[in-house]
Amino acid sequence: GDSVTQMEGPVTLSEEAFLTINCTYTATGYPSLFWYVQYPGEGLQLLLKATKADDKGSNKGFEATYRKETTSFHLEKGSVQVSDSAVYFCALSDPGGNQFYFGTGTSLTVIP
Amino acid sequence: EPEVTQTPSHQVTQMGQEVILRCVPISNHLYFYWYRQILGQKVEFLVSFYNNEISEKSEIFDDQFSVERPDGSNFTLKIRSTKLEDSAMYFCASSPLLTGGAGKLFFGSGTQLSVL
């Protein structure tokens, strides 16, 4: 079945460091891919998405490119801030269904 | 910005007891969901609900679970006889459209259920 595997955490970075959180997926069809973020005490919020191969989703300085050949959707940011400290979830949505499949989440802590 | 509201934020119960987790989805949304995350594991789909009936459910959503939209605003998840392994963070979500493809889910902040 469909599934998502993402990089284990926790990840701790210094402010202005480069961030990569790896995500790979398994799907039978052509899924849409998402990154959700959960700030402390809040719900999951959509960060970015990509709906087809080679699409790049971007928001708040974060980017991820839908790579069908490597079945990946890695999250990147060139210079992280303390306010980026949160848990990041990779997810996919099967066009034929009505549910999301999430990864385990990767906790990011950015220190000044 | 409208948001999904979940209550309570924390719930502690004894094994075998019934619990009801409450959610108020965004008012003009049509599709409602429950997900859960056991500590250290993936966020797992439990059930989706549309037009006053369940549209999809996972293997996790057995006879011990039920959902209801008792009035025009609340969406509840009931666990009839809780087990230790039901301890998890439960997330409610809603969407104006079907999620298949590129739909967007709006999540609540979750209810942490602890079964002792």
Side-chain angles (χ1 to χ4, degrees):
Chain A
D2 294 359
S3 67
V4 170
T5 303
Q6 68 179 100
M7 167 179 169
E8 300 252 344
V11 175
T12 302
L13 294 174
S14 297
E15 207 164 22
E16 299 183 3
F18 183 85
L19 168 71
T20 300
I21 301 178
N22 290 338
C23 172
T24 57
Y25 68 90
T26 301
T28 51
Y30 300 92
S32 294
L33 301 173
F34 305 80
W35 278 99
Y36 274 78
V37 58
Q38 184 180 27
Y39 298 104
E42 300 183 16
L44 283 75
Q45 303 171 25
L46 179 65
L47 180 60
L48 53 85
K49 69 179 183 183
T51 58
K52 60 184 187 296
D54 300 325
D55 266 3
K56 178 186 284 188
S58 61
N59 186 25
K60 300 181 181 180
F62 290 89
E63 292 183 340
T65 301
Y66 189 144
R67 301 283 190 204
K68 190 165 174 60
E69 63 276 13
T70 53
T71 61
S72 65
F73 193 56
H74 304 323
L75 182 69
E76 297 182 335
K77 186 173 186 181
S79 176
V80 293
Q81 305 300 311
V82 172
S83 56
D84 294 327
S85 297
V87 181
Y88 293 82
F89 293 88
C90 186
L92 72 82
S93 174
D94 181 347
N98 189 30
Q99 58 175 283
F100 276 43
Y101 298 88
F102 285 87
T104 52
T106 301
S107 174
L108 170 67
T109 301
V110 180
I111 54 177
Chain B
E1 184 174 307
E3 58 182 26
V4 175
T5 307
Q6 287 186 246
T7 54
S9 56
H10 292 87
Q11 174 91 49
V12 180
T13 190
Q14 296 290 325
M15 191 169 56
Q17 295 296 304
E18 174 183 286
V19 293
I20 297 176
L21 308 183
R22 302 182 190 281
C23 171
V24 179
I26 294 172
S27 61
N28 61 346
H29 285 189
L30 302 176
Y31 299 86
F32 313 112
Y33 309 83
W34 283 100
Y35 285 78
R36 78 172 187 189
Q37 185 182 28
I38 296 171
L39 187 64
Q41 298 185 24
K42 295 186 177 187
V43 176
E44 302 172 294
F45 169 77
L46 294 179
V47 65
S48 60
F49 191 88
Y50 169 71
N51 200 26
N52 285 319
E53 60 183 26
I54 290 173
S55 50
E56 280 187 64
K57 60 182 180 179
S58 70
E59 293 177 353
I60 302 166
F61 194 88
D62 62 21
D63 292 344
Q64 293 300 311
F65 291 87
S66 63
V67 289
E68 198 175 36
R69 190 156 162 79
D71 51 39
S73 59
N74 291 283
F75 180 52
T76 61
L77 174 69
K78 182 193 289 185
I79 309 175
R80 287 190 186 82
S81 178
T82 51
K83 304 187 284 287
L84 295 176
E85 54 265 37
D86 294 327
S87 296
M89 177 73 85
Y90 288 79
F91 293 104
C92 175
S94 69
S95 172
L97 303 168
L98 273 175
T99 64
K104 179 176 173 178
L105 284 179
F106 294 77
F107 283 87
S109 55
T111 294
Q112 180 64 54
L113 176 65
S114 298
V115 181
L116 307 179

